[in-house]
Amino acid sequence: MTAEQQPALSIGIDIGGTKVAGGVVDNEGAVLHRARRDTPHRSKKPGVVENTIVEVVDELLEVVGPGAVVAVGIGAAGFVAADRATVVFAPHLSWRHEPLRDALQRRVPVPIFVDNDANAAAWAEWRFGAARGETHVMMVTLGTGIGGALLMNGQVVRGRFGIAGEFGHMQVVPGGQRCECGNRGCWEQYASGNALVREARSLMTANSPIASDLLDRVGGDPANLTGPLITEAAQAGDQTAVELLAEIGSWLGVGIANLAAAFDPGLFVIGGGVSAAGDLLLGPARETFRKHLTGRGYRPEAGIVAAQLGNEAGLIGAADLARVGAGADPGVGAGADPGVAADPVVRG
């Protein structure tokens, strides 16, 4: 294979509340090399997090050589402005209107692109995972909260200000549970990992006999309970854990029906840690979705599937978006905004 035939490599960086994960990704979505650091505490100054990102990028560039990498994509958990350069707000970090791209570009020798982590994960699933071949895709990510993204005809829909996809803060219960965002009744208070654990702990602290198996699993201390432990119990046949996941799934279906009424996608891809429960979650979600879908029985019904790429979807998508943004894959993301070369992002 000649140098001209070598696939264009890019680096993806996924910034979460606990880790900064990076990988060298080829144009088929394969992660060839990996690097990882702990995320600095959010009380630290922005420059400390940027130092950590540069350390990961430098380690990966050293492995493959800077000449082999066409771009670096950053996927950040937070609000990313439509310029794909500025992190407006990152709840788990100290970034507030942080000019992240420019700060990193001074220290990294290849083009930098910044995006929301859910946008990056959705792009990866559309390119290489569960949503391949679908023209209208909506991804819903279930972790401690709920995030998401919308892709239409091969473009990420980001909204006028770049902050589309914050589905978790749709109000589904007026006057309901207080949300960290300051409002009440947000969807993520009923269909997220936090909601799952909260409901299980309420049974445990009330000494409900139906929570005895869960209590045994955490040594009698409800504070030790986690979402994965509940999923593990449900998969082992614990009926209370099954019911808790079904309740979360039902709320998931309600929200998805609302999103279908507003956006009419062909496919919902469900990602994030809670999606590891599989059909214990998605079965109830599909059932409730059908009951609440506007025009049910008279319209095509969107599919609801689990994401395929797991924890690496964010870095794979960030890397691929950066490669496309750098013009190294011109066949992807056609129809971008006029005057923005090879930019696969719709800005509103």
Side-chain angles (χ1 to χ4, degrees):
M1 182 179 290
T2 67
E4 290 77 12
Q5 294 172 317
Q6 293 287 343
L9 302 180
S10 55
I11 289 175
I13 304 292
D14 185 23
I15 306 169
T18 60
K19 71 181 186 307
V20 176
V24 178
V25 181
D26 68 15
N27 57 356
E28 297 296 324
V31 183
L32 307 181
H33 305 282
R34 296 170 175 83
R36 175 175 170 155
R37 299 285 190 283
D38 291 337
T39 303
H41 192 272
R42 65 180 175 183
S43 64
K44 302 291 186 181
K45 294 181 179 179
V48 178
V49 182
E50 291 156 13
N51 289 343
T52 304
I53 297 169
V54 172
E55 286 178 16
V56 173
V57 172
D58 284 347
E59 179 179 334
L60 294 170
L61 287 175
E62 187 174 346
V63 172
V64 298
V69 172
V70 298
V72 173
I74 311 292
F79 297 168
V80 177
D83 60 5
R84 297 181 70 190
T86 305
V87 180
V88 177
F89 173 71
H92 301 296
L93 300 167
S94 57
W95 290 333
R96 306 292 186 268
H97 296 283
E98 180 67 17
L100 183 61
R101 183 185 65 188
D102 292 345
L104 294 174
Q105 196 66 80
R106 290 190 288 268
R107 305 171 62 184
V108 175
V110 292
I112 299 281
F113 295 84
V114 181
D115 220 316
N116 171 265
D117 59 346
N119 287 345
W123 179 267
E125 292 290 344
W126 175 69
R127 285 274 278 149
F128 309 114
R132 282 175 291 183
E134 176 57 58
T135 58
H136 291 65
V137 179
M138 185 162 281
M139 186 164 188
V140 178
T141 56
L142 305 180
T144 55
I146 296 179
L150 174 64
L151 276 73
M152 297 179 65
N153 295 317
Q155 300 184 46
V156 179
V157 179
R158 308 183 85 247
R160 174 63 179 85
F161 304 106
I163 309 175
E166 295 296 330
F167 307 140
H169 299 290
M170 299 187 303
Q171 188 184 62
V172 295
V173 180
Q177 292 277 352
R178 175 72 74 180
C179 182
E180 291 180 2
C181 75
N183 294 327
R184 288 187 178 275
C186 292
W187 187 27
E188 69 177 40
Q189 292 302 312
Y190 300 90
S192 66
N194 275 357
L196 177 65
V197 172
R198 182 192 68 229
E199 293 302 301
R201 284 178 177 166
S202 70
L203 290 173
M204 296 163 74
T205 55
N207 293 316
S208 171
I210 67 172
S212 59
D213 179 61
L214 290 175
L215 203 56
D216 289 342
R217 287 175 179 268
V218 295
D221 186 356
N224 294 330
L225 188 67
T226 64
L229 279 175
I230 298 172
T231 297
E232 181 182 294
Q235 292 169 336
D238 179 76
Q239 191 57 42
T240 298
V242 170
E243 290 176 6
L244 287 166
L245 279 168
E247 184 177 352
I248 296 299
S250 293
W251 279 112
L252 176 61
V254 169
I256 287 175
N258 290 341
L259 292 171
F263 296 101
D264 191 31
L267 184 70
F268 288 95
V269 178
I270 312 302
V274 184
S275 69
D279 281 343
L280 289 168
L281 175 80
L282 298 186
R286 293 184 184 109
E287 182 178 350
T288 306
F289 170 70
R290 294 186 185 107
K291 289 179 181 177
H292 289 265
L293 182 63
T294 302
R296 52 193 174 275
Y298 297 95
R299 61 179 287 175
E301 183 180 308
I304 302 173
V305 300
Q308 292 181 357
L309 300 179
N311 292 334
E312 291 192 319
L315 74 84
I316 292 171
D320 199 64
L321 279 166
R323 176 181 18 255
V324 174
D329 202 343
V332 180
D337 291 350
V340 184
D343 183 350
V345 176
V346 173
R347 293 201 173 92

